[in-house]
Amino acid sequence: MAYAAGLAIGLVGLLPILFVAEATVSVGWTQIGSFLLRDRIGQLLTNTAALVVTCVMGCVVLGLAAAWLVERTDLPGRRIWAAVLVAPLAVPAFVNSYAWSSQWPRFEGLPAATVITVLSYYPFVYLPVAGALRGLNGSLEECALTLGRNRLRCFFDVVIPQLRVPLLGGALLVGLHILAEFGALQMIGYETFTTAILVQYQSTFNGTAATMLSGVLLLCCLLLLSGEVAVRGRARYSPIGSGASRPAAPARLGLGRWPAVSAVALLLVLAVGVPVVGIARWWSHGSGLSPELGAALLNTLRLSAMGALATVVAALPVAWLAVRRRGPLSTAIERCAYLTSSLPGVVVALALVTASVRLLPAAYQTSALVLAGYVILFLPRALVCLRSVFGQIGPELDEVARTLGASSVKRFSRLTFPLIAPGLTAGVAFVFLAASTELTATLLLAPTGTVTLATQFWSHSDSLDYAAAAPYAATMIVLAAPLTYLLLHQSRVVRGR
Amino acid sequence: MPSRWLLAALAALLALSACSTPGSAAEDPEALVVYNAQHESLTGLWAERFTRDTGVKVVLRNGRDFELANQIRAEGAASPADVFLTENSPAMSLVEQGGQFATVNADTLAQVPKRYSTSTGKWVGIAARSTAFVYNTARLSADELPASMMDLADPSWQGGWGASAGGADYQAIISAMLELEGEKATSEWLAGMKANFRNYQGNNAVLQAVNNGEIDGGIIYHYYWYRDQAKTKENSNNTRLHFFGNKDPGAFVSVSGGGVLASAKRPEQAQQFLKFVTGPVGQQVLAESSEFEYSVGSKVPSNPALKPLTELKSPLVDPSQLNGPKVIELMTRAGII
Amino acid sequence: MTPALEIRSLRHVFGPTGVLHDLDLDVPAGSITAILGPSGCGKTTLLRLMAGFDRPTGGTIRLTGQLVTGNGHWVSPEKRNIGYVAQEGSLFPHLTVRRNLEFGLSRAERRDPRRVAELIAQVSLEPDHLKRFPHQLSGGQQQRVALARTLARRPAVVLLDEPFTALDTGLRATTREAVAAALRRVGMTTVLVTHDQGEALSFADQIAVMIGGRIAQIGQATEVYEAPVDLETARLIGDTVELAGTVSGDGRHAQTAVGPVVLRSDTPPGPATILLRPEQLKVRTGPGAWRVHSVEYFGHDYLMDVFSTRAGLSLKARAAGTVEYAPGQSADVVAAGLGTAFPLASSRS
């Protein structure tokens, strides 16, 4: 039964890929060839690849350094830093870009794109690495020290290999986000495949150029995904052990203490301070709150809430299959979800528009379609949270509960649900966070007259009306802040204290 | 216990979901659905006044020219749209070619001069805008200005000008060039453009860049300059507008169109709306507003701050001949988008 | 009296491999049966089939006379009234010890505070353990709580799947004692699965030796230890001393490298393998044909290798710790007690 549900979800997730594939196939090889082998494509490829490389490197270095400083040294105030370092998750990348480009319009090109995206995405690496460092077994490093390695070599030879899985997972997430990023890059005029796709779609909707670019983007995503799998190897996301491992003693920073604190503070000033100050400045120029803000807020809450619920429910069978019935089919379904979600929102939205117009007109321009878009786009976020909790609950618990006379209802309510609750909460928070700032798919799929915080922000900032955009940006951040905290808290619970 | 919190939160979320969207078409089935690619600020004024005068509620779906046109094409007869308003005419032609427009009422068509509507009577002009060259007064003197828009492809202009190539506005201007100069000349010009121009996201960004001195000049529509001048002038205080005149492609006046969908659920109100927009009241609303687009209907004079339409010496272009998809193809081939 | 558990002709396959072949087993009510076997012999599969977690390919299982598996009939685990303790970690991590114990109780029983106090005392744990969470207990304490939890429902049979294997050696013995005491106190029918012979011998009344998906031998501990049905079974139960020998004409003696051995039962004369246990070899230091080769001292006893150049043999011998042995000593080795002979023609090894 779980298989049926999982398959259904997998198939829905396949829609955008089928959409792109069908359009590409109908174009014909010679046209594809002449389209792809052009300077412009080369330029887009270079831009996209360059940004992926610089941003991933930047995020890995920053995320790793921040995680190490907070979890494994005696950095002063590290408990506070640990929470605040996650704060950039509450600031959408396009708001970050708005803050930087509105205050320094000359800051552009690869350096600007790298700075903005690294500041927005480093938490994707920081969070899992920090969690892993917390659970590392210190005795491994102590052994290495007795075998003659100094502390630095110990770090590279013993600690880093154990961090392979979270580092790769975080890097993958960053890479996929860069490939799908639109708003932030559009604002500073940095052209990548996604921005080019959007320009084409705005001009031609289903045009061949647009779908071919999407095809190339899909291939890039596939490349990243297979790269991550290849480098990760057989290592699995590790379940929590029975608590036997001993954490290593924190490294002493000594004189390096205050430079380290300054560095972390600087990072936060750039990542959170700049957007907050920027928004405050522009808000003071503007005319204050408008009634549309209320409508936009209500819509955002409504759509994000429904989207979060729907996504988590959809993720349940897929996660269950992936953990309990590991096999080629369940892996395929999971991989499909990752692949589709790495497409830009506009491609997913267009596939849904086309599908609904052709197959199910009653669903067109209803909230249901927006939700379908959110589910497709954000399924992996929910999957990641659910997988880790499912991994901790072995089938033996269920079997023992049966021998204690518990019916399946009782088993679910008193055993399964409480145990997966932290994962469910994290999943709901994570998806809500993403849905409340989603832009391009919402633009296309929302019923006429429905505006969200993100779409209103965009229409104002696009016409350079920064002052009018400021309240929307501020509201998005205020909305996201408690969710980010919840996510942090749940990720700590999930990883076991 | 954490799971109790979760249950409470889930219940709250579910309750929240049950609320309906304020302002959506689903909420008010009697409202007129307008797919609006014109500036929301302008159409908002029209909608408000129309509702005040007739009592008919209007709901706007805002987007861009081609986005909405293509969406209407994809939706087909199932489209919920009653009225389609654009900024430029190529998008109207796109929908007209799909046979999705109903004929506009004769009395509405009569309100607008023929050159601003399509000859088939399937859509009518509601406003107009002129192409212009905005330049930085410190960097360019009057005799250094280009005589024709075609000059901008010369190597001497490399790095000197900018435009928002991804937008429908600019694509409409190129479609006029295509119609006036032919495909070969336009392709060559586009190649020169690719080498010389700098791309920006939107007309306002071009204006800002010219003002900053990043570029010497840019191709925009006139009203962006006027709007900024009427507000804080912070994006245009170092600039002036130059109109090419001479029936040059760079003097192209683009028509904003309005049409009634053949599949409209409220055809009468739709026709009524179009008549209102092109009528004396609607056009007066435009002329008195701070939108600064040209009025075209009912002989209502445009905003007095503007250079009158008759003085612009714009080239005569049949709006229905402008080929949007072809322009996209040429620009894609030139590597601009 | 009806056995608490009755298994007939049980067969099970995993894909192409057969795991259980025509297995028969009777477990008398109130007894503790240990199923002893090497890894992969199918003992865990057998236990899971008894519990109802899997369905066998063929055969029947009866619990207190009721058919629960077989002939197209199958009762789900919830309805079987059977208890199950896994190797480790079967306590619900999000519930306290008290709530774990209460999980299987009826509402009325939960309200009665004496019931839970009774349960915790049964497994020799303190009442203040009740408010702790499973991760705050040691492995042995967790297993005891798991047992108490199953006993709470007064099942017909309790199944233990290698419950002490995951524990530290120090804890193993005390936990085993506490568990055995609790089970005997209530007279609970128990089936324990293990690969540890010491555990099986000390814990159970009845041992079923399982090899290759079949029960090779079933009987009391002493019986199985001293009179194994074949050499493979013998090796599973404990260390062996296998000597080549000749059974005499009267079938009651055999001649071996350690001299004459009295046989347990009549055996056909001729060449045979004679089975003894290491503690049956008496090693007397002094002049003799044997030499002590290596010695492992355990405090309470010695386990040593004795070597005979004449016979070209090395044998294991066990002796009490009261006498001192050291490598290099020459010694004399004789057999004591009864041996079992397996004629070569028919011995299966």
Side-chain angles (χ1 to χ4, degrees), chain C residues 20-313:
Chain C
L20 299 177
H21 308 102
D22 262 341
L23 197 138
D24 290 343
L25 182 63
D26 276 353
V27 177
S31 72
I32 303 186
T33 302
I35 301 182
L36 173 68
S39 323
C41 68
K43 50 193 198 295
T44 302
T45 311
L46 177 59
L47 209 69
R48 291 178 60 86
L49 290 172
M50 287 185 206
F53 298 144
D54 294 322
R55 280 191 223 216
T57 324
T60 61
I61 302 179
R62 280 189 162 73
L63 264 180
T64 52
Q66 312 274 51
L67 182 70
V68 291
T69 302
N71 299 337
H73 189 62
W74 185 79
V75 177
S76 66
E78 299 88 292
K79 302 212 171 61
R80 271 191 204 204
N81 197 24
I82 215 165
Y84 186 82
V85 176
Q87 204 163 20
E88 60 172 336
S90 58
L91 290 183
F92 305 134
H94 62 300
L95 301 174
T96 57
V97 168
R98 173 186 292 279
R99 292 249 178 273
N100 263 283
L101 290 176
E102 288 173 352
F103 193 86
L105 293 178
S106 69
R107 198 156 291 190
E109 283 184 302
R110 258 180 254 158
R111 278 197 227 114
D112 183 1
R114 293 171 305 174
R115 187 85 187 95
V116 169
E118 205 173 74
L119 288 171
I120 202 84
Q122 234 172 21
V123 291
S124 319
L125 285 175
E126 299 299 312
D128 64 76
H129 287 136
L130 285 172
K131 52 181 178 301
R132 295 199 202 164
F133 280 94
H135 68 268
Q136 294 168 309
L137 301 176
S138 75
Q141 289 169 328
Q142 285 183 23
Q143 292 298 68
R144 289 197 234 176
V145 172
L147 179 68
R149 185 176 61 178
T150 61
L151 290 179
R153 289 175 58 84
R154 299 191 178 94
V157 178
V158 166
L159 307 174
L160 306 172
D161 188 358
E162 306 211 43
F164 315 113
T165 311
L167 303 177
D168 305 329
T169 344
L171 281 176
R172 218 177 277 190
T174 32
T175 314
R176 210 160 55 206
E177 278 162 31
V179 166
L183 292 168
R184 280 194 220 282
R185 208 174 301 133
V186 295
M188 180 61 63
T189 314
T190 310
V191 177
L192 165 84
V193 149
T194 179
H195 65 269
D196 183 328
Q197 78 231 47
E199 199 165 279
L201 290 169
S202 63
F203 197 79
D205 307 322
Q206 170 182 249
I207 301 190
V209 179
M210 192 164 161
I211 299 178
R214 287 190 176 77
I215 304 284
Q217 183 172 3
I218 185 161
Q220 291 210 326
T222 42
E223 197 184 308
V224 177
Y225 186 76
E226 290 170 4
V229 73
D230 59 34
L231 281 169
E232 197 178 353
T233 310
R235 288 180 199 133
L236 206 61
I237 309 284
D239 292 326
T240 57
V241 174
E242 296 167 39
L243 300 163
T246 320
V247 179
S248 63
D250 66 1
R252 300 241 40 159
H253 295 85
Q255 204 51 249
T256 68
V258 294
V261 174
V262 181
L263 297 177
R264 192 179 305 277
S265 52
D266 284 340
T267 318
T273 308
I274 314 297
L275 174 72
L276 293 168
R277 295 292 183 187
E279 57 273 17
Q280 290 178 281
L281 292 181
K282 300 298 169 200
V283 180
R284 242 188 348 244
T285 49
W290 296 79
R291 197 172 254 343
V292 176
H293 185 248
S294 66
V295 161
E296 275 179 277
Y297 177 58
F298 291 105
H300 42 74
D301 63 7
Y302 284 91
L303 183 65
M304 54 192 137
D305 271 347
V306 287
F307 180 70
S308 157
T309 32
R310 180 156 49 100
L313 270 186

Side-chain angles (χ1 to χ4, degrees), chain A residues 176-212:
Chain A
L176 290 177
H177 267 85
I178 299 287
L179 286 180
E181 183 59 59
F182 160 67
L185 299 177
Q186 169 90 313
M187 241 182 263
I188 54 171
Y190 189 80
E191 293 187 302
T192 61
F193 277 115
T194 304
T195 60
I197 289 173
L198 253 116
V199 168
Q200 283 285 348
Y201 270 123
Q202 276 162 8
S203 314
T204 64
F205 209 62
N206 254 358
T208 45
T211 27
M212 280 197 273

